[in-house]
Amino acid sequence: RARQGSPDRCEVFDAEHHRGLMNRLRTERALRDAVTEGRLEVHYQPEIDLRDGRWRAAEALLRWRDEQGRLHSASEFIEVAEASGQIVPLGRWVLGEACRVASAWPERDGAAPLLRVNVSARQFEQPGLIADVTQALMASGLPAERLCLELTETALLRDELAAAHTLSRLRGLGVGVALDDFGSGYSSLLYLKHLPIDALKLDQAFVAGLPTDRYDLAIVQAISTLARQVGIEVVAEGVETLQQADALRECGIGRAQGHLFAPAITADAVLKKFGGDA
Ligand code: C2E
Ligand code: MG
Ligand code: MG
Ligand code: MG
């Protein structure tokens, strides 16, 4: 493709390609020293019960602070970390840190908020995953039942047999599993039939069109009904308006997270804002 058109266009393409590559290398290098230099932070986005408004869980989201003190979201660097394999040690660090933080979350009526941690395909297929999870739980004292790993379809698709095996080992530990970005891929319904899944994170693409888009509304209703009938919790992602929250509640969706309630914030900020109503 780069060969098409005039030589000038070819140079433009190369320059862009080169810039992309340099950015990637720069990100890789920065991430390499991020853990030891203390430049990584885990922020937490609360998940709210749509029926009573209470704080029921929080998702750990990785953040990276650069030399200038600017905070970068995971969406800016996680792909590079996955491609380079750095996600494995980074993910291990997130797991340990988040379990330690969540072990201090307050109980109410005998239950404390659940911790949800993202695990990418590369981490999921890595043989040390079960050992990393066990180690994080032991070191923090967090009960396994309070940890839920968020996986995407891609992680489960790569090697279905190995995935089923890893999922049953996690279940054996007592750790939960959520299917992240549900509905953004395809053929997802089969996973519900064959794999031990505890929760679905409904992709924000479906939430965005609520309450006016008839297709989004129909899809959310169908997923909600299906999940209720097979006993799987649904969490709506990216809820930004009251109207969206109302529509989700009317569809029977139990949980939501999004900027309407709070973005990902520091552990201290979560406790200050929501700690009283866990
Ligand atoms: P995700 O797991 O689907 O996380 C949700 C993303 O949506 C987060 O972006 C979050 O900040 C953002 N978000 C939350 N509420 C709203 C909202 O109301 N509106 C909009 N527009 N966005 C919202 P973030 O933190 O940049 O993370 C991006 C992705 O990076 C995550 O998607 C997850 O797949 C991955 N990720 C984040 N932290 C980790 C980690 O520790 N390990 C691994 N393996 N992946 C991670
Ligand atoms: Mg997630
Ligand atoms: Mg998601
Ligand atoms: Mg996502």
Side-chain angles (χ1 to χ4, degrees), residues 178-220:
L179 209 46
D180 206 351
D181 304 336
F182 186 76
S184 66
Y186 49 92
S187 79
S188 320
L189 296 177
L190 264 184
Y191 300 120
L192 304 188
K193 185 171 157 74
H194 294 300
L195 299 170
I197 305 283
D198 304 279
L200 297 179
K201 306 271 307 243
L202 186 66
D203 198 79
Q204 50 185 343
F206 299 121
V207 176
L210 299 181
T212 43
D213 188 297
R214 281 163 54 224
Y215 288 89
D216 285 347
L217 202 57
I219 291 166
V220 172

Side-chain angles (χ1 to χ4, degrees), residues 85-200:
Q86 289 169 311
I87 192 63
V88 173
L90 291 183
R92 191 179 296 128
W93 179 80
V94 170
L95 201 57
E97 171 70 11
C99 285
R100 188 182 62 75
V101 163
S103 68
W105 288 345
E107 269 189 20
R108 176 136 153 199
D109 303 330
L114 199 67
L115 169 68
R116 300 203 195 267
V117 178
N118 292 286
V119 170
S120 75
R122 190 96 175 233
Q123 294 173 269
F124 184 67
E125 65 194 15
Q126 165 258 141
L129 177 76
I130 300 292
D132 290 347
V133 170
T134 310
Q135 168 64 25
L137 292 172
M138 272 185 5
S140 63
L142 184 75
E145 292 68 30
R146 285 190 41 214
L147 175 63
C148 175
L149 302 185
E150 296 194 2
L151 302 168
T152 57
E153 250 178 30
T154 339
L156 301 176
L157 261 176
R158 288 222 229 175
D159 181 345
E160 289 173 68
L161 222 61
H165 181 66
T166 306
L167 288 183
S168 68
R169 288 188 70 189
L170 287 170
R171 167 139 303 187
L173 291 177
V175 171
V177 171
L179 209 46
D180 206 351
D181 304 336
F182 186 76
S184 66
Y186 49 92
S187 79
S188 320
L189 296 177
L190 264 184
Y191 300 120
L192 304 188
K193 185 171 157 74
H194 294 300
L195 299 170
I197 305 283
D198 304 279
L200 297 179

